[in-house]
Each structure stands twice: as structure tokens, then as C-alpha cells.
Amino acid sequence: MKIVVCENYEEMSKAGAEIIADLLKEKPKCVLGLATGSTPVGMYRELAKKNAAGEITFKDVTSFNLDEYYPLAPTHDQSYRYFMNVNLFDHIDIDKERTHVPDGLAKDPAKMGEAYDAAIEAAGGIDLQVLGLGPNGHIAFNEPEEELYAGTHLTGLTESTIKANSRFFASIDDVPTQAVTMGIGSIMKARKIIVLASGKGKHAVVAKMLSGRITTMCSGTLLLAHADVTLIVDKEAFEG
Ligand code: F6R
């Protein structure tokens, strides 16, 4: 795993955007795997700036997001589809028809998950996957469990995740207790992965990821088994 330690959140955001920009220049028709949450917001802002400046274009890009709350409509202002529109898609020249977020209203989530993974494969697989790290070490919503799913699936959210994400909702009771999420296999098939982490709150998880040991109780550590992962952290996340 390659580690890039940045001075602060802003530098981390720029470093992440730089890697994505390089890929877009090299392969304009690439497939991006995208994450929501607070961590990548600055990087998305940087990408929108580069797009506005004409440095990069997303017009031939296809994207697949990691996850979506369940059940939640894509029009809900806390949905991850809404988040992606507001934080990235509305500010870049991407064709929204080619942006994908798991269906938070799927009647049959297992079937939806299979179709989602098949769509990723049909698009040629993910060239670059962006990940954040949950305070409990999760990637996407692969929560600490003895057994994890390989493919996109419906999952329950742990109390710690519900609590961490309640900051975006009016009350903790409004936070959905389930989500549809890419599984570990869907993520590990990506050709390249960048993981962003910022702030002291992520230090314990970053330390665990650097411990050299793998456990499904901290799904971020599974990335140690991937051949091309870059962990981009700020000093606070790195040093604690
Ligand atoms: C988001 C996702 C989550 C977040 C993680 C960190 O699509 O899959 O795993 O990346 O919970 O969230 P933030 O960045 O808000 O700390």
C-alpha cells in the first residue's frame, strides 16, 4: 500500500483530485467508483474546478457509487444520489445517464445487487475506486462482521455508523438502519483504489490499516491484499 501524508484536508483533497485527473487524461472513457460522506467533498470540489478550467472532462466517464441508504428515494435530500448530484455531478460535464448509484428502493435488493455488479462488469470494470473509511474501519457499508459479502447486497448498519451519520439528519431516528452496498469483491476488483482519511477521528482506523494484519472486523484492512492502493491521509489522521 502506498501512503501519501498531506499537511491538511485541503492538500489531501488536491492529492486525490490529481490522481483522478491523471487517469482522466490517460483514459477519458474510464469507469470511476465513487464514495459519499464528508471526506471526498473537497476532492470533488477540486475536480469540478479542474473541469471548469478545461483541464479535464468527464463527458465519456461512467461512474458507480458504492452505496445508498435503504429504503430511501433518490430524490430524498439525504440520499446518496442526491449527495452526488449536489457535490459533484451538477458541477461537471458528466452525462448523468452514465452515473449509477445502487437503488435504495429496490423491491428485490439481492437481484438489484446482482444486476449492479453485472453492470460494472459490462462497463469494463472499475478503473479507479474512491473510498473513505468509517470510524469503525468500514469501507462502503461493509460493517464489522465475521463474514462479509463479495457482491452488492442489502446490509444492516451498526449503531456506531448510524450515530456517525446522524450528523446529516434532523434526528438520529431519521437515519435509515439499512443500506445497499457494494461488497468486498465488487471493491477489490477495481484496478486501482484510493482511500482518503482526514482528522484525528480516523487515526485509529488508519493505524489498524497500517498494522499489516487483515480482519473482516475492520473491512478497510482487506485492502492490504490489493495490488494498487494509495492511502491519502492528512497529518491528523496519520499521527493522531
Ligand atoms: C460512503 C461510504 C462510507 C464512507 C465512510 C466515511 O459512500 O461508503 O464508507 O466513506 O463512512 O464517511 P465520512 O467521509 O463521512 O467520514
Side-chain angles (χ1 to χ4, degrees):
M1 181 168 325
K2 190 174 160 208
I3 303 157
V4 178
V5 183
C6 303
E7 199 56 41
N8 50 36
Y9 178 79
E10 214 187 324
E11 295 306 314
M12 178 203 76
S13 303
K14 284 186 180 158
E18 214 48 56
I19 293 176
I20 296 180
D22 285 348
L23 172 68
L24 294 189
K25 287 172 200 167
E26 188 190 306
K27 189 176 179 186
K29 278 191 182 168
C30 65
V31 179
L32 295 179
L34 299 174
T36 59
S38 306
T39 315
V41 169
M43 182 181 76
Y44 292 154
R45 222 179 284 133
E46 290 298 324
L47 287 171
K49 270 198 233 162
K50 285 178 186 292
N51 188 200
E55 189 190 326
I56 51 171
T57 174
F58 291 82
K59 70 179 174 41
D60 293 322
V61 168
T62 300
S63 73
F64 289 91
N65 260 79
L66 287 170
D67 38 24
E68 179 60 280
Y69 287 119
Y70 188 89
L72 204 64
T75 47
H76 191 288
D77 65 4
Q78 289 305 334
S79 75
Y80 284 169
R81 158 54 73 183
Y82 189 92
F83 175 101
M84 288 310 298
N85 287 347
V86 169
N87 286 290
L88 184 65
F89 300 152
D90 288 347
H91 310 288
I92 58 174
D93 61 352
I94 200 163
D95 175 359
K96 276 201 192 149
E97 292 289 312
R98 276 208 293 271
T99 65
H100 306 86
V101 178
D103 180 4
L105 291 179
K107 287 206 173 66
D108 184 340
K111 224 171 164 179
M112 183 280 296
E114 273 174 36
Y116 199 72
D117 290 327
I120 294 174
E121 258 189 68
I126 293 172
D127 290 296
L128 187 149
Q129 176 68 55
V130 176
L131 295 174
L133 291 172
N136 63 7
H138 70 209
I139 50 172
F141 279 132
N142 294 282
E143 299 280 50
E145 294 274 5
E146 242 172 68
E147 290 187 348
L148 297 176
Y149 282 79
T152 300
H153 62 284
L154 178 67
T155 185
L157 300 177
T158 60
E159 259 183 63
S160 80
T161 296
I162 292 170
K163 209 170 148 207
N165 290 3
S166 66
R167 68 191 193 278
F168 300 113
F169 290 81
S171 109
I172 194 161
D173 298 329
D174 294 339
V175 186
T177 57
Q178 289 179 293
V180 276
T181 179
M182 275 193 205
I184 293 303
S186 329
I187 295 170
M188 295 290 268
K189 282 179 197 155
R191 288 184 266 283
K192 184 179 180 69
I193 297 177
I194 60 172
V195 192
L196 306 177
S198 165
K200 286 185 198 304
K202 297 288 168 74
H203 174 65
V205 178
V206 168
K208 184 111 185 134
M209 280 188 64
L210 298 177
S211 72
R213 299 175 66 161
I214 293 177
T215 169
T216 58
M217 300 308 283
C218 175
S219 58
T221 61
L222 294 161
L223 298 172
L224 290 167
H226 191 281
D228 190 351
V229 178
T230 304
L231 178 61
I232 310 172
V233 291
D234 62 11
K235 267 194 172 158
E236 285 193 351
F238 190 63
E239 291 167 3

